Amino acid sequence: MKKLNIMASLLMGALLFTACDADRDDNPVIDLTQTQEPITLNMPTFAGATYDLQNTDTIVLTCTAPNYGFPATVTYAIQLSTDADMTKPNVLSATFSNNKMMVPGKELAIATTKQMMDKFNYKQEDFPVEKPVYLRVHAYIDGVAGSETYSNIVKLNSVKTKFALPDVEMPEQLFVMGKFTENNWEKAVPTAPINGATENHWRIAWIDQDGVSISPVKGEANWADDYITTTYSCKTAGFAVDETGKVTAEEAGWYTMVIKGTCDNDKRTMKMEFSFQPAEVWLIGTSIVNPEAGIYLKDDAEKGIVSYCWNEKKLREEFTQYVKFETPTDMKGEFISPELTSPVDGDGGTRAYVKIGTFEWWKTEFFVFNKKIVYRGAGGDQERVKGSVGQHVHFNFSDDTGDLRM
């Protein structure tokens, strides 16, 4: 009896499989060639009242979800205009993955401020203002052509805001793009702020006569979107920077680029001063302890031993061959350290840095974690990475990858 049941189950499974296989040509096909149906943006609860954006943390917006005929991850973006027909709207920088959207009041205030300045030629002294504004939702599947749809337009009868453009300040990071990143903004690499002096950023980059470009986003610089006037200057002979922030070098090579930003929030200006030095990367710490070479971990007065493994100046000047990375001569080459001379496990770690001006080494420290370079930047102490005698550290600054290996 059990055998009969098993055989029956197998036969039923085969029939189902055949049915599914035969039905394959009749299954629904994802078709995004047709214009998507509009979605419905619901009227906010207090649309008829006054929204004081200075004192409003969030406004809740809800809308229907697009019907693609299949489950999809949808991105929702908010557009704002002072015109009922949504002429030249501003798009809020925050996007949402749910059709119940907690929209920050600050984002609405920034968009409203830009509308006032663009369409009514308002100046900072003309604020605060109180105007009606109009909202619309733009929904789409990120990266999928034909998935776009828009909602109806809703009116907020009265929105009050003070001047609300973002403060003029150095971004947390800038992006650097050039031949060494295949002239592709998507492959652009970030700068790192100097710890404790975040108005200064640095970056190791391959710079030649074709130049590299600098931007606060992975694309053409958009300072003007926030009404920031940016000017550029260069203080190092053999290098130049044009009015767009494109940097060129007379002699191609790897350089450490330092960018100092000076910001004026009242005038909404940012001055960026560039300086350059040859790209030099250094080891420091317990991984390069080498008694035979005279690099010790601890002082020992009785034996006349002085600890040098954390003395960056001494190491660079007198123990160069044990701490200085080999700098590649080609655009895609790796920076390779001398071999480690002491095993490290624990607080010492394997440590690397670039030297910039009078800043201490740890303010421009970085290392490789899971084969990706991570910069300390403005953050706290980095995790420690174990090292073994004979290993070399490899860094590739064209894509910020690396390794620690024999």
Side-chain angles (χ1 to χ4, degrees):
M1 190 67 178
K2 288 183 179 178
K3 288 183 179 179
L4 288 174
N5 287 339
I6 292 171
M7 291 301 294
S9 298
L10 289 173
L11 179 60
M12 182 61 72
L15 289 171
L16 288 171
F17 179 82
T18 303
C20 289
D21 187 61
D23 190 49
R24 180 165 42 191
D25 291 338
D26 298 327
N27 286 338
V29 176
I30 297 172
D31 182 8
L32 293 175
T33 60
Q34 303 300 316
T35 302
Q36 297 299 306
E37 292 293 325
I39 56 178
T40 301
L41 174 59
N42 299 313
M43 187 67 69
T45 304
F46 302 107
T50 296
Y51 284 98
D52 184 351
L53 296 181
Q54 185 183 4
N55 298 303
T56 302
D57 290 332
T58 56
I59 293 178
V60 180
L61 297 180
T62 60
C63 68
T64 57
N67 180 15
Y68 296 112
F70 58 93
T73 300
V74 181
T75 298
Y76 298 89
I78 311 297
Q79 299 180 338
L80 181 149
S81 177
T82 53
D83 300 311
D85 60 358
M86 295 301 291
T87 303
K88 294 182 179 179
N90 281 93
V91 180
L92 276 62
S93 60
T95 58
F96 306 88
S97 58
N98 190 290
N99 58 346
K100 181 178 181 180
M101 297 154 281
M102 308 294 289
V103 184
K106 185 175 181 179
E107 290 263 351
L108 292 166
I110 289 172
T112 303
T113 298
K114 290 180 177 180
Q115 285 280 303
M116 296 296 111
M117 297 179 75
D118 286 341
K119 294 179 177 178
F120 303 102
N121 201 30
Y122 276 36
K123 307 298 181 186
Q124 186 168 350
E125 57 269 21
D126 296 323
F127 289 80
V129 297
E130 189 171 334
K131 294 270 188 180
V133 301
Y134 300 85
L135 303 177
R136 179 171 66 186
V137 175
H138 175 201
Y140 55 93
I141 303 173
D142 196 25
V144 177
S147 66
E148 293 188 321
T149 182
Y150 293 85
S151 76
N152 56 303
I153 298 168
V154 301
K155 179 182 180 181
L156 304 183
N157 282 348
S158 178
V159 168
K160 181 179 180 181
T161 184
K162 289 188 173 182
F163 184 79
L165 292 184
D167 288 341
V168 181
E169 57 188 5
M170 278 290 275
E172 291 183 5
Q173 60 185 5
L174 297 163
F175 293 95
V176 182
M177 183 275 290
K179 192 185 298 181
F180 77 115
T181 65
E182 301 177 10
N183 291 314
N184 184 344
W185 276 114
E186 288 303 313
K187 296 183 179 181
V189 289
T191 61
I194 294 177
N195 200 289
T198 54
E199 71 279 8
N200 299 279
H201 284 230
W202 68 274
R203 172 75 215 179
I204 290 180
W206 176 272
I207 308 175
D208 55 21
Q209 292 183 349
D210 291 331
V212 298
S213 297
I214 316 295
S215 175
V217 294
K218 283 193 171 184
E220 295 297 329
N222 64 343
W223 303 107
D225 289 355
D226 288 326
Y227 300 85
I228 299 172
T229 301
T230 307
T231 56
Y232 308 92
S233 62
C234 178
K235 59 185 296 188
T236 307
F239 297 84
V241 56
D242 67 16
E243 68 279 359
T244 69
K246 186 173 185 178
V247 173
T248 55
E250 293 177 1
E251 185 176 343
W254 286 100
Y255 297 97
T256 298
M257 173 172 59
V258 181
I259 308 169
K260 181 179 181 181
T262 303
C263 303
D264 188 319
N265 203 43
D266 292 332
K267 296 180 180 179
R268 300 201 67 77
T269 60
M270 178 183 293
K271 297 178 181 178
M272 288 194 176
E273 182 182 70
F274 290 75
S275 59
F276 303 87
Q277 63 192 47
E280 296 178 343
V281 180
W282 307 88
L283 290 173
I284 194 169
T286 56
S287 65
I288 48 93
V289 168
N290 186 345
E292 291 184 6
I295 306 174
Y296 295 94
L297 173 61
K298 296 180 180 180
D299 293 343
D300 189 333
E302 291 184 5
K303 295 181 180 180
I305 292 175
V306 179
S307 168
Y308 290 136
C309 77
W310 296 107
N311 188 327
E312 54 172 302
K313 186 173 186 295
K314 192 83 169 179
L315 290 172
R316 290 195 305 271
E317 292 177 352
E318 299 185 19
F319 300 97
T320 307
Q321 62 180 315
Y322 301 102
V323 295
K324 187 177 183 181
F325 282 64
E326 178 185 345
T327 300
T329 57
D330 62 292
M331 187 172 62
K332 293 295 183 180
E334 292 185 321
F335 286 66
I336 303 174
S337 77
E339 68 176 39
L340 305 186
T341 52
S342 179
V344 291
D345 182 4
D347 190 54
T350 314
R351 318 286 286 270
Y353 70 101
V354 297
K355 180 62 178 176
I356 295 176
T358 59
F359 292 107
E360 295 175 88
W361 68 271
W362 57 270
K363 295 190 175 185
T364 48
E365 178 186 9
F366 60 98
F367 207 71
V368 61
F369 299 85
N370 297 319
K371 298 191 176 182
K372 291 294 294 182
I373 296 175
V374 178
Y375 299 90
R376 177 168 181 170
D381 211 358
Q382 292 187 298
E383 294 294 324
R384 300 293 183 257
V385 176
K386 296 179 181 180
S388 301
V389 174
Q391 286 185 316
H392 297 263
V393 184
H394 296 248
F395 292 131
N396 187 329
F397 292 104
S398 63
D399 59 4
D400 273 357
T401 58
D403 204 357
L404 179 61
R405 62 181 185 267
M406 293 291 186

